Amino acid sequence: MNERLPKKITRRAFLSSSAKVALGVAGVLLSSAGMIYYGASRVKERQRHAPPKVAGMPGNIVKVGESVTLNAIQGFEKIKYTATIQDAWVATAKRGFVYVTRSAQGELLILSPSCTHLGCNVEPLKEPPPAGKKELYFLCPCHGAEFDKSGNAIGVVTQGLDTYEPILSGGFVYIDIASPLKRV
């Protein structure tokens, strides 16, 4: 009868195996702690470079400028903004711009730069418009859509540029970048 007996382990082999397991566990714990520290430092770094928030306003509300300055605009002006969008525990800085102009009635008009066809950013004309198109102000570089000073579609597309509702507070104009007003 051939009975199998377990292999006898020596003290040296036991201590060697135990040390390897202990080093492996210590390595996993240290790397986990390092990843947690690195993640926390990245969040702090992003928060340090984020623009200051206006007390009580969500991150999708951005300041466009002073009401007096914006009301003095003749033609149009490109206004850049930076917003901090808070998604659960991650804050993300979003950069963009809008065009500020006046409607035909003289009201403040804030236009989205995104073309309503493919979403490319429209650009103001760099040279005088061609004959017969005096109302042309903005042109889409992707496919040639044309828009007038108020963002109305002139050619190629049927829907004008989206607008933003101005929010007046404390002498400043704000917009909600998450809620552009769609034109019909």
Side-chain angles (χ1 to χ4, degrees):
M1 183 156 136
N2 190 5
E3 235 179 271
R4 293 186 83 190
L5 295 174
K7 186 177 179 185
K8 202 170 192 184
I9 188 165
T10 64
R11 182 184 308 169
R12 181 174 295 205
F14 173 75
L15 290 176
S16 174
S17 296
S18 298
K20 289 177 186 174
V21 168
L23 284 174
V25 169
V28 168
L29 290 175
L30 284 174
S31 65
S32 299
M35 289 190 313
I36 290 170
Y37 175 77
Y38 177 72
S41 66
R42 295 280 297 162
V43 168
K44 285 181 183 176
E45 184 71 21
R46 272 191 240 136
Q47 290 172 346
R48 192 174 326 136
H49 292 298
K53 287 183 72 170
V54 177
M57 290 215 185
N60 56 315
I61 305 293
V62 297
K63 185 190 321 185
V64 178
E66 290 185 17
S67 180
V68 174
T69 306
L70 296 176
N71 284 325
I73 291 175
Q74 300 295 322
F76 69 91
E77 191 168 326
K78 180 179 180 177
I79 309 270
K80 295 180 181 181
Y81 65 81
T82 301
T84 303
I85 307 297
Q86 186 72 32
D87 180 22
W89 61 88
V90 178
T92 307
K94 179 179 189 223
R95 299 182 197 307
F97 66 94
V98 292
Y99 292 115
V100 179
T101 184
R102 298 219 151 278
S103 68
Q105 296 78 22
E107 298 171 349
L108 189 63
L109 187 61
I110 303 173
L111 301 172
S112 167
S114 298
C115 179
T116 52
H117 180 236
L118 294 176
C120 300
N121 285 339
V122 297
E123 298 173 353
L125 287 181
K126 293 179 178 31
E127 47 200 50
K133 293 197 175 187
K134 288 192 301 185
E135 68 277 359
L136 180 62
Y137 258 76
F138 301 104
L139 187 65
C140 179
C142 295
H143 63 276
E146 300 170 337
F147 302 93
D148 67 7
K149 178 182 171 188
S150 298
N152 299 314
I154 298 175
V156 181
V157 294
T158 57
Q159 184 179 354
L161 296 173
D162 295 339
T163 61
Y164 293 100
E165 182 71 32
I167 302 167
L168 301 173
S169 177
F172 292 97
V173 177
Y174 299 88
I175 59 171
D176 182 356
I177 60 171
S179 303
L181 304 173
K182 305 283 182 195
R183 296 207 183 180
V184 186

